[in-house]
Amino acid sequence: PSVEDRFAILEGMFENFHLETDLKRTAKETAGFAAADLMSLSREASINAWKRVKPSDSEKLVIKKEDMEKALFDIRPSNIKDLIVQIPEVHWEDIGGNEEIKLLVKQCVEWPLKHPQAFINVGIVPPQGILLYGPPGCSQTMIAKAIATESQLNFIGIK
């Protein structure tokens, strides 16, 4: 599902709960999650809230940001469970040189994710993907890990 679809699904799942977490942010962070994964995520967040405090039957359960963050850490998308998914900690400052390439990659990947309305306003269709190529040791993997870190995306290394 798209970000909007995931947001609608999460809204439906949490409609009977008091939320102190941002479902729009959660929808953005759950790329690759199917509806069943979102159901598992909501169940896990609810369990985390129940473990934290047991409310009386008359009050609503409060799902806090930390409940959702722990659930996001524990629940992974089912369609990529068989792959090795890394959460890299490589930042742009970690890559020396290649300033022109880093800028182009940011413009192609990071900007459309962080500023989608700007692209819509000027009628630009963002690229559907990029291809990094070159001889070994030219920072392709480091650049891919940096863009994943800075854009909060999954990194799946293929050998």
Side-chain angles (χ1 to χ4, degrees):
S2 68
V3 174
E4 295 82 17
D5 293 337
R6 291 192 305 272
F7 177 68
I9 292 167
L10 288 168
E11 267 189 325
M13 290 180 182
F14 287 107
E15 68 184 348
N16 295 324
F17 295 95
H18 177 71
L19 297 175
E20 292 181 6
T21 187
D22 183 5
L23 286 183
K24 286 186 180 187
R25 180 174 177 228
T26 302
K28 289 179 183 175
E29 293 176 350
T30 52
F33 279 60
D37 301 325
L38 295 173
M39 177 72 86
S40 296
L41 180 71
S42 67
R43 184 185 65 243
E44 193 69 25
S46 302
I47 290 169
N48 292 339
W50 277 104
K51 286 179 182 175
R52 189 176 30 79
V53 61
K54 298 221 186 240
S56 68
D57 292 336
S58 61
E59 61 182 289
K60 284 186 166 184
L61 183 63
V62 178
I63 308 291
K64 294 192 173 195
K65 183 180 177 184
E66 56 266 21
D67 300 325
M68 188 63 74
E69 287 174 351
K70 184 171 182 339
L72 277 168
F73 181 78
D74 293 337
I75 303 298
R76 302 304 327 150
S78 60
N79 62 352
I80 59 174
K81 280 183 182 171
D82 295 336
L83 300 172
I84 298 171
V85 178
Q86 297 177 2
I87 301 171
E89 278 298 319
V90 178
H91 300 275
W92 290 119
E93 332 42 268
D94 299 337
I95 302 171
N98 296 323
E99 298 305 321
E100 185 179 330
I101 294 168
K102 291 191 300 189
L103 177 62
L104 287 171
V105 171
K106 284 182 194 178
Q107 290 170 339
C108 290
V109 179
E110 196 174 313
W111 290 9
L113 293 171
K114 291 188 177 180
H115 313 289
Q117 193 59 44
F119 280 77
I120 293 168
N121 291 345
V122 293
I124 297 174
V125 178
Q128 294 295 309
I130 60 171
L131 175 65
L132 299 173
Y133 65 94
C138 291
S139 302
Q140 300 98 320
T141 304
M142 290 285 285
I143 289 171
K145 286 182 177 183
I147 197 68
T149 300
E150 300 291 340
S151 301
Q152 297 177 338
L153 300 171
N154 292 326
F155 176 81
I156 302 172
I158 300 172
K159 297 200 177 228

